[in-house]
Amino acid sequence: MSQAPRPTLATVAAIEDAAELFRQANRIVVLTGAGISSPSGIPDFRSEGSGLWSRTEPMEVASLTTFRISPERFFNWFRPLAGQICNAKPNAAHRALAELESAGLKMMVVTQNIDGLHQKAGSAQVVEMHGSLQTLSCTQCFKQVASEPYLQSYIKDGKIPQCLNCNGILKPDVILFGEQLPQSAWLNAQRAARQCDLMLVAGSSLEVLPVAGLPMQALDRGAHLIVINNSPTYVNVRADVVIMEDVASMIPEITKRVLHG
Ligand code: ZN
């Protein structure tokens, strides 16, 4: 593994400040986006310039409408991404967050990702705002099944997953464009945002509503805010600490200081 470049003095100071906020916090919410999974090799399909975007417009092909009218178009588009997700392993950022939780910090991860990497790393309290690829649901009889046996032949041969009960098409339990967020996940995330005294935004540019509004809910209740993201977000002006660096090197640095001083 390549060695990360040494952080600048300003970054070291920000890491120290972030670690101090973690030490003082009683309830922490970590809001994660595509940026935390890109070091694991999963592209941000919403970002212009990613391979998936240049081939086709994701807001059109990854929409509920396309899925209903022409599921094979969706499944063709989704296939490389599904392959990357299935092969991906948690990176240092996922592992560091899991380490903080198992060390006894009261925290919840609210993620916009569908890859399950937080859980694979060992995080227990995870709310998946955009669903997950772990299960599929039949579009005809609504039976929910574990995706594992179906995904392998879909990724390998392009075979569209079909229900063994009724032959209906199985839809991955991920939230497509034009689809409502799962209500219980959204209520949990909102409650956590309002009750926390520290929110960390990690690897999200906060561009996808309504999740992007959660930091404002936390700030309005007096919570502290840390933002670690490669590019600016709309809440940077209100954050206590802003680190515009790679999450996979910064979160382990913060974790090291929180746990070992
Ligand atoms: Zn069925």
Side-chain angles (χ1 to χ4, degrees):
M1 231 161 82
S2 67
Q3 196 71 30
R6 288 184 70 78
T8 64
L9 283 177
T11 306
V12 171
I15 290 168
E16 300 282 0
D17 291 347
E20 185 54 29
L21 289 175
F22 265 87
R23 282 189 219 107
Q24 290 169 3
N26 294 312
R27 280 166 179 261
I28 303 160
V29 170
V30 182
L31 177 58
T32 68
I36 201 166
S37 290
S38 54
S40 291
I42 299 173
D44 177 6
F45 69 89
R46 287 184 167 85
S47 291
E48 208 164 341
S50 83
L52 290 161
W53 183 285
S54 55
R55 256 176 283 151
T56 182
E57 160 70 73
M59 285 179 79
E60 197 265 316
V61 73
S63 69
L64 193 59
T65 310
T66 298
F67 191 92
R68 284 188 176 139
I69 296 171
S70 152
E72 65 282 357
R73 272 195 64 215
F74 167 82
F75 278 107
N76 281 337
W77 172 82
F78 189 57
R79 202 170 145 202
L81 181 59
Q84 280 158 324
I85 289 173
C86 284
N87 292 323
K89 294 190 171 56
N91 61 58
H94 297 108
R95 291 195 300 269
L97 290 174
E99 204 183 334
L100 286 170
E101 188 185 358
S102 46
L105 272 73
K106 200 164 170 13
M107 57 187 273
M108 177 185 277
V109 174
V110 174
T111 187
Q112 297 169 284
N113 301 333
I114 57 169
D115 50 45
L117 290 180
H118 286 296
Q119 294 93 325
K120 276 193 193 169
S123 285
Q125 299 293 321
V126 182
V127 177
E128 295 171 304
M129 297 309 304
H130 294 155
S132 134
L133 199 52
Q134 301 304 306
T135 55
L136 310 168
S137 290
C138 178
T139 50
Q140 306 270 0
C141 74
F142 305 108
K143 185 179 161 69
Q144 192 182 51
V145 294
S147 52
E148 176 64 29
Y150 298 91
L151 283 186
Q152 291 312 324
S153 62
Y154 160 53
I155 292 164
K156 199 163 149 277
D157 310 318
K159 187 181 179 300
I160 292 179
Q162 279 180 295
C163 179
L164 293 175
N165 264 359
C166 75
N167 259 353
I169 288 173
L170 295 172
K171 176 188 168 293
D173 288 331
V174 300
I175 306 304
L176 301 178
F177 290 100
E179 200 170 5
Q180 294 285 322
L181 293 189
Q183 201 185 6
S184 64
W186 176 236
L187 292 175
N188 280 341
Q190 272 189 310
R191 193 182 310 118
R194 289 177 185 151
Q195 290 175 350
C196 73
D197 54 4
L198 173 64
M199 182 176 281
L200 163 64
V201 173
S204 174
S205 301
L206 299 176
E207 282 165 353
V208 183
L209 286 168
V211 179
L214 290 172
M216 291 307 287
Q217 300 197 18
L219 284 167
D220 289 347
R221 303 283 172 120
H224 290 289
L225 179 66
I226 303 168
V227 179
I228 309 175
N229 195 50
N230 279 331
S231 57
T233 79
Y234 82 96
V235 287
N236 282 19
V237 286
R238 292 194 57 187
D240 297 85
V241 178
V242 174
I243 306 177
M244 283 181 50
E245 303 275 351
D246 179 25
V247 288
S249 50
M250 292 301 114
I251 296 179
E253 288 292 331
I254 293 167
T255 299
K256 205 163 69 188
R257 284 163 174 80
V258 174
L259 299 181
H260 311 295

